[in-house]
Amino acid sequence: MDYNFQEIEQQWQAEWEKAEVYKVDNHSDREPFYVLDMFPYPSGAGLHVGHPLGYIASDIYSRYKRLQGFNVLHPMGFDAYGLPAEQYAIQTGQHPEKTTNENIARYISQLKKIGFCYDWDRQVRTCDPQFYHWTQYAFIRMFDSYYDADQQKARPISELVARFEAEDPAWKTMSEKEQQQRLMQYRIAYLADTKVNWCPKLGTVLANDEVSEGLSVRGGYPVEQRVMRQWCLRVSAYAGRLLEGLDRIDWTESLKETQKNWIGRSEGAEMRFNIKGQDEPFTIFTTRADTVYGVTFMVLAPESEYVKRVVTAEQKEEVESYLDRCRHRTERERIADRKVTGVFTGSYAINPLTQGEIPIYISDYVLAGYGTGAIMAVPAHDSRDYAFAKHFNLPIIPLIEGADVSEQSFDAKEGKMINSGILNGLEVKDAIRRMKEYITETGIGRVKVNYRLRDAIFSRQRYWGEPFPIYYKDGMPYTLPEECLPLQLPEVDKFLPTESGEPPLGNATVWAWDEEHRQVVEKSKINHTTIFPLELCTMPGFAGSSAYYLRYMDNHNSSTLVDKDVNAYWRQVNLYIGGTEHATGHLIYSRFWNKFLYDLGLVCEDEPFKKLINQGMIQGRSNFVYRYIGEGATGNLYVSYNLIDTPEYKDKVQPIHVNVNIVHNDILDIEAFRNWMPEFKDARFIYSDGSSDFDNPYSQIFAEKQYICGWAIEKMSKSMFNVVNPDDVVKNFGADTLRLYEMFLGPLEMSKPWDTNGIDGVHRFLRKIWNMYETVSDDEPTRDELRSLHKLIKKITWDVENFSFNTSIPAFMIAQNELNGLKCNKRAVLETVAILLAPYAPHIAEAMWHRCGHTTFVVDAQWPEVNEEYLQEDGVKYPVQFNGKVRFTLTLPKDMSKEDVEKAVMQNEETAKYLTGTPKRVIVVPGKIVNIVL
RNA sequence: GCCGCGAUGGUGGAAUCGGUAGACACGAAGGACUUAAAAUCCUUUGACCAGUGAUGGUUGUGCGGGUUCAAGUCCCGCUCGCGGUACCA
């Protein structure tokens, strides 16, 4: 019987659904195992073949773990809030909820066709009030917590209040508003005036990881700096723990490295510099305390608090105009134009070691948000200071022996110190240590660790996001009572900001908080005594994705985020698969979020993702036709790719993207091309053999007349006409072929282009293996059959455990070939092959399993064990002569002693032929190969 | 600039612990079956040289060195490509 993949796949998908085979129980004697995919944002374009790559890998692993007897949690959901749906709503007036639900429905149908073993009953959507209830809940808890530096964990803000009451007499005399303002400086979720990335085109602020090179990651619009009052999360408080936690998790080195860089720990010192003629000193941060003798000027960030204090009357005007210029420069302009700019403040600082006077400047190469926003400049040993010094003609004092600073600074941390008072003669490393000791002893400064990681800006001036459970009383924010959650997103009539510039929620009419009756009421009723305005911003995309993995554990629980016992059973995600693009966003935020919940005792593990694998991106493979634009061109003639470099056509053709779905193995479907777009209706061709339609008007009916298309690797996108829809692949080749082929393309972590050429190979394999199940016999398998089978078991087990899925497919093909060559149709062999194939190609494996006479599902089978006995294969192989010596290659059992190896060599018939005496030297690689040098 | 990763036939890629480089697949060429096509099956396929031939030899994993009986794999120095990050003091 033919391999009717459509019938097989539909039948078994239906059977699995009916029997609820993928339903996962929270209570089981089996060991738990949690395999998670990064849930997708359901975009309007639907899935393309690149998206399921990671899902297929995690599905294979889940099924494997399940066959090994684990209780596997493998859920899927949707990151449903986000900008595209809202932008679409602004353009078309369609409610984002409607388009989002439509997109989700499409995603689910696409995912189901591929045959994943998700427990769909555990689906979560971030825009579902039952889900964002717990996003809001976490926010309230963050608002009600502060970070205790001594205990290094989050504690209830009430403890801080108690401490203030006990220790600070001023506390009781403060008004409520003053108290609230003071607490705001400690809360983990806090409101602050901060310099933010404002994107005028999107009409919202963005977090640091949502901006790249001065442009928004989504949309690529310019971003400028603005000071705004925003909700922030004190992620920076967790910087040390986020860094340290990396040592305890099994992630790729490159991803850990990216996070380490993003967190940016740097060990240095804070030092106080007195200002000439003032009492109060100011503080700088440096990692090169050893260079303090070479400080020739100081620099403040334009936004620094110190600026006001040090600007003299004479310099005031010049400084003001410089600050004004900085303010109006966008981030992008600042990056594009790296010219040295700055202004003298008129004041001088006193070097605490030399007592010399040093001028204080302002320049935007110093950042307000890092360290103290002020630096001591050492032009001889810092390239940025060097450029500044050259520009403003400031002195440059070399501090390291032999360093030539006439052309450029010497930034390396090596060499012997000179011109450096107490440090002279020391190596740089020792000099840094010595100076730290010195400043600590003398009270000039202290050792300090700084982090590059900033607090996350948490407000978005958007509609389609989680509303904040916050209302404002006397200008200060208050949280809604937890029992009143979720605070549902209100309806609005338009999704744009209001005319007065308020965020879109300003358009909602029912959007005020009645404190007394604890409910949302009409805005018109606001009286500021019992009825107050609600927050108009919504939360950013990463809010909903920061703890979704916890919700899958217990998604129907309406009384808590996740039940304690359930959490204690699943604990954490054992395997997380997703793209590297989330390295500095989602993967930082969710680790932070989880650690916060851990501090509160709500979850039992402080790292959410035990092991993490990054799948590579699948790029598109575009095809081109080549329009003739040389002499006499009518714009309607296309030259075959193999001819475009011939003298006749060189530089006379223009490549045009052609839809990859009408190209097969780089051969253009002429008819489909003519029907593709009106402009190609009358297209004519120069074929690969150089003939053309002009020679013979009926030429295309001859098979040998082919038009070959060129190709290139590009991003998969609509505009390149290179998008391949998994639905089409499933329809033409089947889900099992798609799954196998995606794995076969190359290593999981590597980026690789999708190339439909070649899919026939794996499809052919499935057809061949299917044919082996035509008749199943109950005879005993032979030793050769068993050897073949156990080689396969060993290989597949190793592959799955090491995520080397791409090398499994050849192993299956080889085994299929061997078994077919042995005419093997033994049930014992075939049913084991079905189990091995089940993670990769579950539908055909299920059908094969049933052909072996089973009435149960293959997903409930047991993963086979390797019997080493069948793998033994002793004997001599490949005696090779080289350079007058003879090298014998023997395959010998493991754990053989040197003497035994020598004995085995001497006794072996083959090798004995070559041996005339005792070998000079025997080199042994256990279990593998022996070289004997005579 | 800094950090990380990579480079193997016409193509995707394999070689898992330093041990037969090119598995497996695609493509290509030739053949079988067929009225024909599709499908299927078989053979060949890194390059070069010799031979009618089985076969034999040389060369070969981006470039230049090194370690080793043995290097795609380890070490040093480059070139190119990809990714991250960028005035972080």
Side-chain angles (χ1 to χ4, degrees):
Chain A
M1 205 169 85
D2 279 354
Y3 171 43
N4 187 340
F5 55 86
Q6 286 181 343
E7 196 179 290
I8 288 171
E9 290 175 5
Q10 274 164 24
Q11 181 196 343
W12 289 110
Q13 282 178 13
E15 296 268 353
W16 290 331
E17 197 156 337
K18 204 172 88 197
E20 297 190 324
V21 291
Y22 299 126
K23 202 162 165 52
V24 183
D25 208 317
N26 282 340
H27 305 282
S28 166
D29 297 336
R30 293 185 296 161
E31 230 183 293
F33 202 91
Y34 188 175
V35 180
L36 183 65
D37 294 302
M38 288 187 185
F39 65 167
Y41 173 79
S43 85
L47 290 173
H48 64 62
V49 286
H51 294 115
L53 181 74
Y55 304 156
I56 293 169
S58 67
D59 201 63
I60 291 170
Y61 201 78
S62 302
R63 287 173 180 273
Y64 165 74
K65 275 285 168 188
R66 187 178 163 153
L67 288 164
Q68 283 211 320
F70 288 86
N71 187 26
V72 179
L73 177 55
H74 186 222
M76 178 49 78
F78 299 94
D79 187 13
Y81 275 135
L83 275 174
E86 182 163 347
Q87 295 290 86
Y88 189 72
I90 290 168
Q91 283 157 26
T92 63
Q94 288 249 43
H95 197 286
E97 188 169 5
K98 184 169 175 283
T99 49
T100 300
N101 284 338
E102 287 166 3
N103 292 345
I104 289 176
R106 176 151 178 227
Y107 266 60
I108 292 176
S109 102
Q110 287 187 298
L111 290 169
K112 282 193 170 171
K113 279 185 203 160
I114 304 173
F116 295 121
C117 61
Y118 297 128
D119 178 356
W120 282 105
D121 189 44
R122 288 178 185 258
Q123 186 195 156
V124 300
R125 300 178 182 194
T126 55
C127 66
D128 179 351
Q130 291 316 308
F131 181 88
Y132 65 67
H133 182 153
W134 305 106
T135 311
Q136 292 174 335
Y137 167 81
F139 177 81
I140 289 179
R141 298 301 299 264
M142 288 182 194
F143 182 83
D144 282 335
S145 301
Y146 77 108
Y147 198 80
D148 186 311
D150 297 333
Q151 294 183 57
Q152 277 294 307
K153 65 191 280 197
R155 298 298 305 160
I157 198 94
S158 55
E159 288 185 9
L160 188 67
V161 172
R163 225 171 72 193
F164 287 154
E165 273 171 359
E167 294 167 13
D168 187 354
W171 175 258
K172 284 190 188 119
T173 65
M174 287 180 175
S175 69
E176 173 165 357
K177 186 168 182 172
E178 285 168 336
Q179 289 182 343
Q180 286 299 323
Q181 278 168 338
R182 177 147 180 211
L183 291 177
M184 194 57 87
Q185 294 166 25
Y186 294 87
R187 296 183 190 277
I188 286 178
Y190 64 97
L191 202 52
D193 290 314
T194 50
K195 196 168 164 184
V196 297
N197 306 301
W198 172 257
C199 180
K201 193 87 187 181
L202 292 173
T204 188
V205 305
L206 297 168
N208 283 343
D209 68 282
E210 294 169 319
V211 181
S212 178
E213 299 188 349
L215 298 174
S216 65
V217 171
R218 241 184 225 289
Y221 305 116
V223 171
E224 58 188 55
Q225 304 294 301
R226 241 193 220 188
V227 174
M228 289 175 76
R229 197 162 175 76
Q230 300 288 324
W231 284 104
C232 300
L233 301 186
R234 211 173 291 280
V235 181
S236 63
Y238 284 83
R241 282 170 62 190
L242 287 170
L243 187 67
E244 169 271 326
L246 291 173
D247 295 337
R248 287 179 283 114
I249 49 182
D250 184 9
W251 292 15
T252 60
E253 280 312 309
S254 72
L255 193 78
K256 285 189 188 179
E257 199 60 34
T258 305
Q259 287 216 339
K260 274 181 198 162
N261 292 342
W262 187 259
I263 295 166
R265 183 181 199 270
S266 76
E267 248 174 73
E270 278 186 355
M271 289 171 76
R272 275 193 289 279
F273 280 67
N274 285 313
I275 303 167
K276 191 184 170 192
Q278 290 191 24
D279 298 335
E280 280 282 299
F282 75 104
T283 310
I284 58 94
F285 175 77
T286 182
T287 52
R288 292 293 301 272
D290 59 311
T291 60
V292 67
Y293 289 93
V295 178
T296 55
F297 58 100
M298 313 290 289
V299 189
L300 305 178
E303 303 84 3
S304 168
E305 298 280 314
Y306 298 129
V307 167
K308 280 180 254 125
R309 280 174 43 201
V310 297
V311 176
T312 57
E314 316 66 277
Q315 290 298 105
K316 194 168 167 115
E317 202 176 317
E318 206 182 322
V319 168
E320 280 302 330
S321 93
Y322 180 73
L323 295 184
D324 200 50
R325 204 142 43 93
C326 291
R327 237 172 265 134
H328 286 95
R329 229 145 76 110
T330 64
E331 189 67 14
R332 191 161 171 70
E333 284 164 355
R334 214 166 64 84
I335 290 163
D337 168 31
R338 282 232 179 153
K339 272 194 224 121
V340 176
T341 64
V343 63
F344 179 48
T345 59
S347 289
Y348 290 85
I350 310 292
N351 186 319
L353 274 104
T354 64
Q355 305 306 323
E357 288 182 12
I358 24 190
I360 305 173
Y361 282 77
I362 298 169
S363 174
D364 66 358
Y365 83 85
V366 175
L367 305 177
Y370 185 76
T372 62
I375 61 153
M376 62 179 211
V378 186
H381 302 290
D382 183 291
S383 55
R384 295 152 304 179
D385 297 345
Y386 189 88
F388 195 88
K390 281 278 171 188
H391 189 262
F392 285 94
N393 246 328
L394 294 157
I396 298 166
I397 308 170
L399 301 171
I400 292 172
E401 201 174 71
D404 174 16
V405 295
S406 58
E407 289 299 323
Q408 57 180 32
S409 62
F410 180 82
D411 291 16
K413 288 187 187 179
E414 56 195 29
K416 271 202 167 64
M417 305 299 299
I418 52 167
N419 301 332
S420 296
I422 59 167
L423 303 176
N424 278 337
L426 290 176
E427 280 292 321
V428 169
K429 272 199 191 100
D430 302 320
I432 293 175
R433 199 176 323 126
R434 177 75 194 90
M435 184 50 66
K436 280 182 181 169
E437 285 165 15
Y438 181 80
I439 61 173
T440 312
E441 282 160 19
T442 54
I444 294 168
R446 60 183 183 121
V447 174
K448 174 86 205 269
V449 173
N450 250 325
Y451 294 95
R452 204 186 75 107
L453 185 71
R454 309 289 167 78
D455 288 345
I457 293 158
F458 203 62
S459 300
R460 295 291 182 275
Q461 290 68 26
R462 309 300 304 190
Y463 171 72
W464 192 230
E466 299 87 347
F468 282 88
I470 289 286
Y471 62 97
Y472 288 91
K473 192 155 72 168
D474 194 16
M476 292 307 291
Y478 289 82
T479 56
L480 263 57
E482 275 172 26
E483 313 82 75
C484 299
L485 298 182
L487 172 65
Q488 298 229 20
L489 187 66
E491 288 304 318
V492 294
D493 48 12
K494 57 184 175 114
F495 305 103
L496 284 166
T498 64
E499 274 164 28
S500 54
E502 285 178 331
L505 284 190
N507 294 317
T509 50
V510 185
W511 199 239
W513 184 248
D514 183 337
E515 201 175 48
E516 208 174 325
H517 300 99
R518 297 157 71 101
Q519 58 181 357
V520 180
V521 296
E522 275 155 48
K523 206 159 68 178
S524 55
K525 292 187 179 159
I526 292 172
N527 56 20
H528 294 284
T529 53
T530 57
I531 297 176
F532 302 96
L534 281 158
E535 169 71 53
L536 297 180
C537 286
T538 54
M539 298 185 195
F542 67 82
S545 58
S546 286
Y548 74 109
Y549 51 90
L550 292 168
R551 193 61 187 161
Y552 282 132
M553 295 175 182
D554 202 9
N555 66 324
H556 296 299
N557 193 329
S558 57
S559 61
T560 176
L561 166 65
V562 50
D563 179 83
K564 266 214 156 77
D565 291 340
V566 171
N567 179 247
Y569 175 67
W570 294 112
R571 302 198 76 82
Q572 69 189 137
V573 175
N574 296 84
L575 174 67
Y576 197 23
I577 295 188
T580 22
E581 66 272 22
H582 298 108
T584 55
H586 162 63
L587 288 174
I588 290 274
Y589 297 128
S590 56
R591 289 182 63 218
F592 152 77
W593 200 287
N594 191 82
K595 280 174 193 294
F596 170 75
L597 296 175
Y598 174 78
D599 286 353
L600 266 52
L602 295 169
V603 298
C604 61
E605 292 279 352
D606 88 320
E607 283 292 343
F609 314 117
K610 179 92 185 160
K611 183 175 177 69
L612 186 137
I613 300 246
N614 294 118
Q615 90 276 20
M617 284 246 250
I618 290 203
Q619 296 132 303
R621 187 179 187 276
S622 308
N623 274 117
F624 298 93
V625 292
Y626 298 88
R627 176 183 272 157
Y628 181 66
I629 52 167
E631 216 171 302
T634 56
N636 221 354
L637 179 65
Y638 300 88
V639 182
S640 183
Y641 172 66
N642 57 315
L643 302 173
I644 60 169
D645 277 333
T646 58
E648 199 177 350
Y649 300 112
K650 201 169 165 59
D651 302 325
K652 288 180 194 159
V653 292
Q654 170 197 18
I656 296 172
H657 277 97
V658 57
N659 187 346
V660 293
N661 295 298
I662 59 169
V663 178
H664 305 286
N665 288 345
D666 293 335
I667 308 293
L668 182 70
D669 182 333
I670 304 280
E671 271 314 299
F673 180 69
R674 287 187 171 137
N675 292 328
W676 181 37
M677 280 187 191
E679 59 172 305
F680 302 126
K681 199 167 143 262
D682 301 318
R684 281 178 302 181
F685 301 90
I686 307 287
Y687 296 103
S688 59
D689 59 357
S691 66
S692 75
D693 297 320
F694 303 113
D695 304 336
N696 179 349
Y698 305 105
S699 60
Q700 73 265 28
I701 66 169
F702 296 108
E704 66 271 20
K705 302 265 182 224
Q706 289 182 331
Y707 183 93
I708 302 172
C709 295
W711 56 272
I713 304 307
E714 296 173 302
K715 206 175 126 84
M716 202 174 272
S717 90
K718 266 186 177 171
S719 61
M720 315 270 194
F721 301 109
N722 60 6
V723 175
V724 180
N725 188 326
D727 297 1
D728 295 339
V729 180
V730 169
K731 199 173 131 227
N732 296 332
F733 298 95
D736 288 333
T737 302
L738 173 72
R739 293 168 63 108
L740 280 181
Y741 189 57
E742 292 233 356
M743 292 300 106
F744 183 65
L745 275 176
L748 181 59
E749 296 93 334
M750 205 190 268
S751 278
K752 58 231 161 205
W754 176 265
D755 183 357
T756 308
N757 302 345
I759 197 167
D760 294 322
V762 287
H763 188 68
R764 222 167 278 160
F765 156 70
L766 287 178
R767 208 156 48 204
K768 280 192 253 178
I769 203 155
W770 176 247
N771 288 336
M772 290 177 68
Y773 288 73
E774 194 74 50
T775 55
V776 178
S777 110
D778 277 318
D779 296 349
E780 279 292 304
T782 66
R783 198 185 154 83
D784 281 344
E785 288 165 352
L786 287 172
R787 170 175 297 156
S788 198
L789 176 69
H790 283 265
K791 262 185 348 198
L792 184 67
I793 299 171
K794 192 173 184 177
K795 170 79 176 137
I796 302 302
T797 308
W798 192 94
D799 282 347
V800 178
E801 269 168 9
N802 293 280
F803 305 95
S804 180
F805 304 117
N806 56 320
T807 58
S808 281
I809 287 100
F812 278 121
M813 289 172 175
I814 292 165
Q816 189 275 329
N817 241 321
E818 283 177 8
L819 292 172
N820 208 25
L822 296 165
K823 302 256 185 290
C824 174
N825 63 346
K826 315 290 166 55
R827 180 186 317 279
V829 174
L830 293 185
E831 67 182 16
T832 305
V833 171
I835 297 170
L836 294 174
L837 192 58
Y840 290 87
H843 310 87
I844 192 172
E846 188 74 82
M848 282 156 41
W849 181 249
H850 281 80
R851 282 206 153 187
C852 288
H854 291 276
T855 50
T856 55
F857 290 106
V858 71
V859 292
D860 295 321
Q862 173 128 31
W863 192 259
E865 299 233 341
V866 184
N867 186 336
E868 291 284 342
E869 194 196 314
Y870 298 122
L871 302 176
Q872 299 294 332
E873 203 174 350
D874 299 0
V876 185
K877 278 183 181 174
Y878 318 113
V880 177
Q881 297 202 0
F882 69 106
N883 296 345
K885 300 170 216 162
V886 181
R887 188 180 81 192
F888 299 96
T889 308
L890 288 163
T891 309
L892 297 166
K894 278 179 192 166
D895 313 323
M896 226 182 186
S897 74
K898 206 166 177 174
E899 291 73 37
D900 287 343
V901 168
E902 216 161 305
K903 218 186 278 174
V905 170
M906 300 304 287
Q907 286 169 359
N908 189 288
E909 270 179 44
E910 280 295 316
T911 57
K913 278 197 279 187
Y914 296 89
L915 292 172
T916 50
T918 317
K920 232 186 251 168
R921 201 161 159 197
V922 179
I923 299 144
V924 183
V925 181
K928 287 220 165 159
I929 278 161
V930 188
N931 281 294
I932 304 111
V933 182
L934 294 167

